[in-house]
Amino acid sequence: NHTATPVEMPVETANEVVTAEVKVAQNSHKSEEKLSPAAEKLAEEMHKNLNMGCDAYLDMLPRVEDNRLKTDITAAMCYYEKLIGKVKQYLLDHGAKPEERGMMARMASKTGIMMNTALDHTNSHITEMLIEGATMSITTAEKLANHAEGKEGCGELVEYCRDWAKFEQNHIDALKKYL
């Protein structure tokens, strides 16, 4: 008689996902108002960068053997998917069409991850890669927020950027136990 051992859940990351889902639900709205050029540019940049991060997590997942680390990565992917959906809906609600990431860019990212983890796919190495990616995301989110702060129509998107940066910092903190 075999009993499964319970999987340790990443409480910090899971709480961030739940918080993000609540914020997305609370801020859902429909507007026929056209986006300002600054808001459209910000939303498109967010959409592009969030998709890139989500794709990287997805490409990394098969290289991970530790179920706890897989759970942390999956929780982060859930956060990304929710925020991507929110930004995409924001663009659509305002008459803009989000640009999808090209096949060549996705293949380049996937190949880079495969090469980087071919010889070393230990938790520690993968965690280092994840922390580097999350750090780049913090930089991107803060940079986007700072450049758009106070510009017409950017308030809600700037808030999403700040939340994204906070999520990434919390995700980094949760990942440190795998180093």
Side-chain angles (χ1 to χ4, degrees):
N1 217 348
H2 179 72
T3 56
T5 56
V7 176
E8 183 180 321
M9 297 302 287
V11 177
E12 301 87 2
T13 305
N15 286 338
E16 286 293 313
V17 170
V18 171
T19 301
E21 289 178 16
V22 169
K23 286 182 180 182
V24 167
Q26 289 173 340
N27 291 327
S28 182
H29 70 286
K30 176 86 171 152
S31 173
E32 299 302 323
E33 193 176 304
K34 185 130 172 76
L35 287 174
S36 70
E40 187 169 356
K41 181 179 177 186
L42 174 58
E44 287 172 353
E45 281 296 309
M46 289 175 68
H47 189 263
K48 178 183 83 172
N49 283 285
L50 288 163
N51 272 296
M52 189 177 356
C54 193
D55 286 348
Y57 280 129
L58 189 60
D59 293 338
M60 185 73 73
L61 208 50
R63 313 298 282 176
V64 178
E65 295 173 2
D66 185 296
N67 284 334
R68 293 172 307 135
L69 182 53
K70 279 185 180 186
T71 302
D72 278 352
I73 293 170
T74 302
M77 286 173 52
C78 289
Y79 174 84
Y80 266 73
E81 288 292 338
K82 294 290 182 184
L83 191 52
I84 289 167
K86 182 62 184 163
V87 173
K88 184 175 183 174
Q89 191 62 52
Y90 188 90
L91 283 163
L92 293 171
D93 285 351
H94 290 88
K97 187 173 189 288
E99 191 174 310
E100 296 304 320
R101 197 161 170 243
M103 178 63 81
M104 293 303 290
R106 289 195 308 262
M107 289 301 291
S109 174
K110 184 177 192 126
T111 301
I113 288 170
M114 287 175 62
M115 289 175 60
N116 202 331
T117 58
L119 295 176
D120 185 358
H121 57 274
T122 61
N123 280 354
S124 182
H125 180 68
I126 288 174
T127 299
E128 286 177 38
M129 291 173 63
L130 292 169
I131 289 174
E132 286 174 18
T135 301
M136 287 190 293
S137 290
I138 290 170
T139 302
T140 298
E142 289 294 347
K143 183 177 179 180
L144 290 172
N146 289 341
H147 287 200
E149 188 79 48
K151 291 187 179 171
E152 180 188 349
C154 292
E156 186 175 346
L157 294 170
V158 167
E159 184 180 319
Y160 292 156
C161 284
R162 302 275 188 231
D163 288 343
W164 175 22
K166 286 177 197 166
F167 171 81
E168 292 292 7
Q169 185 58 59
N170 289 337
H171 189 225
I172 289 170
D173 293 341
L175 288 170
K176 288 178 183 177
K177 65 184 168 241
Y178 301 109
L179 291 173

